[in-house]
Each structure stands twice: as C-alpha cells, then as structure tokens.
Amino acid sequence: QMSSSSFADITGMSVAITPSASDSKILITVSLYAGQNNNSVAFFKLLRGSTVIGSASDDGSRVGCNFSFGVDGGDGHSHVHSNSYSYLDSPSTTSATTYKIQGASYNNATLTFNRTPNDADHATTARCTSVITAMEVLA
C-alpha cells in the first residue's frame, strides 16, 4: 500500500538479470494488480537501476509514465485493476541489471497492491499476484 504523489518503489516489483552478451535485448513484462479509492489516477514508471526507461515525458501538468489507470466515481474501493505492460530494452551491458516499477497517485490517493482498497471478506473481493519478469533476447 502507498499514498504518494511522488514516484516511489513498489515492494516486490523488481527483477535482476545478467545479460550474457552486451548486444542482447531484455524483454520486461509487467502484470500489476492495484486497487485505488474513488476519483483518482495511478501512474507507473519502469526503471533500469535509477533511470526511467520507455516513459513519456512530463508535459506541463501532465504526468509522464509507462502506464496508468484511473477511477472516476462508482465503487472503486471494491475493484482490482489489471495492468499489463511490456518493454524491450537495450541495456548494452553484461553486468547485473535491475528493473523495477515505481508508482504514484494523484492527490496522494491510497494505492493497494494485489487486493482491493477495502479488502472486504466477501466472495466477490479479489486477491491477485503481481509479477515483473525479465527475459534475455539474444541478438
């Protein structure tokens, strides 16, 4: 769970890989399940080490990110949103490389991961598993 308008690491959403060749590409796939209270937007960025990669740039008040979702009214506290993202990176190294996902929310709204915001004990309440995977693609 997090409540931040500034991007911060999401626990459990990092992966390390050591490419066998410097011209290899790394395919990153993300399956992220998150819940959010009503009337807000969640933003997510992919990083290689401490460098954001594949993200759109901030522009004025618009938030640059790799993927996002929003909740506008309704019953957002009882839903988990499925977010899938893939990126083919060219790290140009044979050193261990860590990829991670950071998240932020508009107006410090609370984001929950792998469960709904209310986590009610009910047969319609989901609990999910998020995963980030790195796969080497040889040149």
Side-chain angles (χ1 to χ4, degrees), residues 2 8-14 29-35 42-45 67-69 80-85 100-104 111-115 128-133:
M2 67 185 297
D9 294 354
I10 298 172
T11 301
M13 291 303 292
S14 67
T29 58
V30 177
S31 180
L32 178 70
Y33 295 92
F43 307 98
F44 302 97
K45 290 186 179 187
F67 59 98
S68 88
F69 74 88
V80 176
H81 299 268
S82 170
N83 303 273
S84 296
Y85 179 75
K100 64 184 176 181
I101 299 294
Q102 290 187 336
L111 290 171
T112 57
F113 299 100
N114 302 320
R115 65 177 181 83
C128 306
T129 303
S130 297
V131 65
I132 181 171
T133 304

Side-chain angles (χ1 to χ4, degrees), residues 77-139:
H77 65 275
S78 62
H79 297 286
V80 176
H81 299 268
S82 170
N83 303 273
S84 296
Y85 179 75
S86 297
Y87 183 75
L88 187 61
D89 188 33
S90 300
S92 301
T93 187
T94 55
S95 298
T97 304
T98 299
Y99 294 90
K100 64 184 176 181
I101 299 294
Q102 290 187 336
S105 60
Y106 173 73
N107 208 22
N108 294 320
T110 299
L111 290 171
T112 57
F113 299 100
N114 302 320
R115 65 177 181 83
T116 63
N118 67 4
D119 200 28
D121 187 5
H122 192 275
T124 62
T125 301
R127 288 229 172 146
C128 306
T129 303
S130 297
V131 65
I132 181 171
T133 304
M135 182 187 323
E136 182 174 8
V137 180
L138 296 174

Side-chain angles (χ1 to χ4, degrees), residues 40-74:
S40 194
V41 180
F43 307 98
F44 302 97
K45 290 186 179 187
L46 172 65
L47 290 84
R48 179 194 329 112
S50 59
T51 303
V52 176
I53 57 173
S55 172
S57 299
D58 290 347
D59 186 3
S61 295
R62 294 173 291 270
V63 179
C65 61
N66 296 81
F67 59 98
S68 88
F69 74 88
V71 176
D72 185 15

